[in-house]
Each structure stands twice: as structure tokens, then as C-alpha cells.
Amino acid sequence: MTTPMFSTYRQGENRVTATFLAVLQRLSLPNIDRILQRLLWEDGEPYNLVSFENQVHAKESVPDAKIQTGNTIWIETKTGRNAVGRDQINRHLKSVSEGEVLLVLTPDESKPTVLHVDKTHEGKIAWSNFSALTEVIEEILGDEYEPPTEREAFLLRELVLMLREDGLLDSGDPKVAVVAASSAWPMFQTVHVYCCLVSLPFRSTDQFDRMAFYANGEIKHLVPKVIDVVESINLTRKEEIAALDSSAKELAEKLFREMGSTPEWHQWFGGDRKVMFLSAPNDSETIDLKKSIVNDKKSDSGKTVPFTYGKPRYVSLASLQKACTTTELEQLEKG
């Protein structure tokens, strides 16, 4: 039975969970897979989804929801920060069998300490936040190769709007956007900008203030500050540069003077592009991690899995400064 789109629950946690499930079961299986695998931090086989249920009575507790796949995903949702209770989690875990998982979804920016469990329950509990859910939704909405249907896009945007209006997204320090950078890394080193298609989905600039570059199987050691962003411009046209506001205009004019005689100029900027002006490699605003972060992610078959597939991923600066591998980076982000 399909869950009503507009939840009748009044309690915040139940309403958010019910709306999330209602949107999820109206998506295609590939998009359901993308969302669940991101929230569970998994790269596995596609789910064979069977059913969705709200407010399921377990052995000694009532989790907010259950998604029945080949194995069960139990869901506990919190709409307040630092609101996870250890006693409730322990009661939920009594119903989680081998191969099943309890997904705890909260607005916290890092994994609540009460979710660090002993070896008895290792692998039976996963944590994610609403910002990670929003991030994968933005990836789906911006996918040029397998775009969502109009109906799916509408539902996903409405879900993000609800999460934002309910104050469930990151409210802490801005993140670092990690971008696929086979050409962007040398571009940054040469002209100190990041240039991409206008359609590439990014969070709003109040949610990230730095950029890191994933290229050649590693996240590079330099993390520049984002100085200014122009959402759409052809930087080979003087009239478009002249129409910019003062700060971006000055940076664009400087770039135009420096690159006007370079062959790559038209290849990089000869069209409508999103352009981010960055601090230079030797600028005091640019952070040097002193080492690159090696990508050691592998699929079940042993093949290397890229850290990012073209869409930006967002991590904290503190995690970048501590990690030596992408596995360590993801563990630090999970808390």
C-alpha cells in the first residue's frame, strides 16, 4: 500500500519519516538505490525492494519505519540535534537480526557518540544526516545521463524544501567541496579558478567556502578558499565581464588579461560556464594539507571506486586535515 504523500502525523519525527518514505516509494529503483546506499555508506548490489512501513512494532520498541528489502532496514529519525538516546537504540537493536541494519537519521553534523556500539552490534547500525540525503538528491536532480522524471524531480525538491524549512540541514561551519579534477587541478594551478557546466549541482555558497581537487586517484594537498562565484558567464566576452559586480568584475578582468593569448582560453571558458575564483596555491588563504589523500575505495570485485563520480562531495576541513586515505576520510565524516 502506498503511503499518503502528505503525512497525517503531527509529531515532527513521524512526519519527516513518513514524508521521506512516501517520496522514496514513488521513485524508480535506481534512484532508491542511490539514496539508500548513500545514507548507509554502501557500494553494493541494487536493492530488491519489497515494502515500506511506518511506526512498526518491534520486540521492545517502535522504530519510526521499516524498509523491507532482501534484508530489513529499520529507521529511527530524530529532528533535534543531540537527541539520540542510548536506551532507545538498545531496545531497537534487539529486533535487528544478522544482515539487517538500523539506520539512524538525524540533523547532527557528526555521528552522535551514543551510536558507537560494541562489537556485538557492529555492522547492525548506520548513521547519516539530512544533509547527506539532500546531497544525493541534488546529484539525482542534476544527473544529465539518467535524469529523474518530472514527477520525481518535483517530489525530491519538495522533500528538500521541507527539510530546509524544518531546520534539519547543516547549520555549522561551511564544508569543503571535493570536485572531480582531471582538468580542474591544472586549471587551478595555472589561473586559480574552477570552471564547470552551469548545470553541475553545487550547494549554495553559504554551505561551503573551500574546494579540494580529486584527480589521479587522490585528493590533492591544496585546499583553496572560494573568493567569488559567477553562476553563468562566457569569460571570453568583454561585455559579459563588464556587466559583473565590482568584486567578480575585477577578478574576471585580471583573468582576461592574463589568459587572453593562451590557446586553452577558448577551450576552458568559451561558453556559458559556472566560474569560481579561488585563492592562489601560494596564497595565505589556501590551506596546504602537506600530503595528498589516497583513494583506497574498492568494489566487492576489487576494482577501484572513484571518490566522486563528477558531482561534488562535501566534507569538513577537519576531516581532510586528519585523513590519509579516502576510507579514513569517510570514517571521520561518519564520526
Side-chain angles (χ1 to χ4, degrees), residues 192-224:
H192 321 146
V193 300
Y194 174 75
C195 176
C196 66
L197 295 174
V198 173
S199 59
L200 186 65
F202 272 91
R203 292 183 183 179
S204 62
T205 51
D206 61 345
Q207 293 184 308
F208 74 98
D209 64 351
R210 292 188 176 275
M211 183 164 286
F213 300 91
Y214 173 71
N216 309 120
E218 62 184 21
I219 300 173
K220 301 298 183 179
H221 63 104
L222 295 179
V223 185

Side-chain angles (χ1 to χ4, degrees), residues 86-131:
R86 183 66 206 175
D87 288 344
Q88 184 187 43
I89 296 301
N90 284 337
R91 292 196 302 272
H92 288 344
L93 286 172
K94 291 180 180 180
S95 298
V96 180
S97 303
E98 193 66 34
E100 298 180 349
V101 64
L102 171 64
L103 170 62
V104 183
L105 194 58
T106 79
D108 299 289
E109 292 160 28
S110 59
K111 186 177 182 179
T113 55
V114 299
L115 295 180
H116 293 278
V117 296
D118 55 38
K119 290 187 177 180
T120 305
H121 296 116
E122 203 169 279
K124 290 187 175 182
I125 190 166
W127 168 82
S128 194
N129 60 19
F130 295 105
S131 293

Side-chain angles (χ1 to χ4, degrees), residues 188 192 210 222-227 251 254 278-288:
F188 159 67
H192 321 146
R210 292 188 176 275
L222 295 179
V223 185
K225 188 175 184 62
V226 178
I227 299 171
L251 292 166
K254 181 175 182 291
L278 308 171
S279 57
N282 59 353
D283 193 292
S284 61
E285 292 279 15
T286 297
I287 293 174
D288 190 345

Side-chain angles (χ1 to χ4, degrees), residues 42-323:
E42 289 183 348
D43 292 308
E45 294 298 318
Y47 293 107
N48 181 19
L49 293 169
V50 178
S51 65
F52 300 80
E53 279 186 81
N54 284 295
Q55 293 291 289
V56 181
H57 287 267
K59 291 179 180 178
E60 297 185 19
S61 62
V62 184
D64 290 315
K66 179 172 75 170
I67 300 174
Q68 187 72 45
T69 67
N71 290 308
T72 298
I73 302 171
W74 302 87
I75 298 177
E76 177 59 38
T77 304
K78 295 299 179 188
T79 54
R81 289 171 173 79
N82 301 311
V84 180
R86 183 66 206 175
D87 288 344
Q88 184 187 43
I89 296 301
N90 284 337
R91 292 196 302 272
H92 288 344
L93 286 172
K94 291 180 180 180
S95 298
V96 180
S97 303
E98 193 66 34
E100 298 180 349
V101 64
L102 171 64
L103 170 62
V104 183
L105 194 58
T106 79
D108 299 289
E109 292 160 28
S110 59
K111 186 177 182 179
T113 55
V114 299
L115 295 180
H116 293 278
V117 296
D118 55 38
K119 290 187 177 180
T120 305
H121 296 116
E122 203 169 279
K124 290 187 175 182
I125 190 166
W127 168 82
S128 194
N129 60 19
F130 295 105
S131 293
L133 172 58
T134 300
E135 181 178 318
V136 69
I137 287 174
E138 289 173 348
E139 290 179 8
I140 292 170
L141 291 173
D143 195 325
E144 297 178 359
Y145 301 101
E146 297 181 16
T149 65
E150 289 186 13
R151 180 172 183 252
E152 287 182 316
F154 169 76
L155 295 175
L156 290 170
R157 290 191 183 100
E158 288 297 305
L159 177 58
V160 171
L161 180 61
M162 183 196 73
L163 297 177
R164 182 171 291 116
E165 289 181 344
D166 283 8
L168 299 177
L169 304 183
D170 278 349
S171 61
D173 295 333
K175 299 284 190 176
V176 177
V178 183
V179 296
S182 57
S183 59
W185 172 243
M187 185 190 302
F188 159 67
Q189 292 176 297
T190 304
V191 293
H192 321 146
V193 300
Y194 174 75
C195 176
C196 66
L197 295 174
V198 173
S199 59
L200 186 65
F202 272 91
R203 292 183 183 179
S204 62
T205 51
D206 61 345
Q207 293 184 308
F208 74 98
D209 64 351
R210 292 188 176 275
M211 183 164 286
F213 300 91
Y214 173 71
N216 309 120
E218 62 184 21
I219 300 173
K220 301 298 183 179
H221 63 104
L222 295 179
V223 185
K225 188 175 184 62
V226 178
I227 299 171
D228 211 330
V229 179
V230 179
E231 293 296 332
S232 179
I233 189 172
N234 184 328
L235 281 172
T236 65
R237 295 176 179 170
K238 290 185 178 181
E239 63 272 19
E240 292 193 29
I241 294 175
L244 293 173
D245 60 34
S246 56
S247 59
K249 180 180 178 181
E250 183 178 342
L251 292 166
E253 286 176 340
K254 181 175 182 291
L255 179 61
F256 188 90
R257 289 194 301 270
E258 291 177 352
M259 295 298 295
S261 60
T262 304
E264 288 86 356
W265 172 253
H266 284 271
Q267 177 184 332
W268 286 352
F269 305 116
D272 291 334
R273 299 284 188 270
K274 183 196 302 283
V275 178
M276 299 183 188
F277 295 96
L278 308 171
S279 57
N282 59 353
D283 193 292
S284 61
E285 292 279 15
T286 297
I287 293 174
D288 190 345
L289 301 175
K290 304 302 182 184
K291 89 290 185 188
S292 295
I293 298 173
V294 177
N295 180 38
D296 62 345
K297 288 168 61 65
K298 303 285 185 182
S299 67
D300 292 339
S301 62
K303 293 183 179 180
T304 300
V305 177
F307 181 72
T308 178
Y309 286 91
K311 310 293 190 301
R313 289 186 64 175
Y314 300 90
V315 299
S316 69
L317 178 60
S319 295
L320 283 174
Q321 291 173 317
K322 293 176 183 176

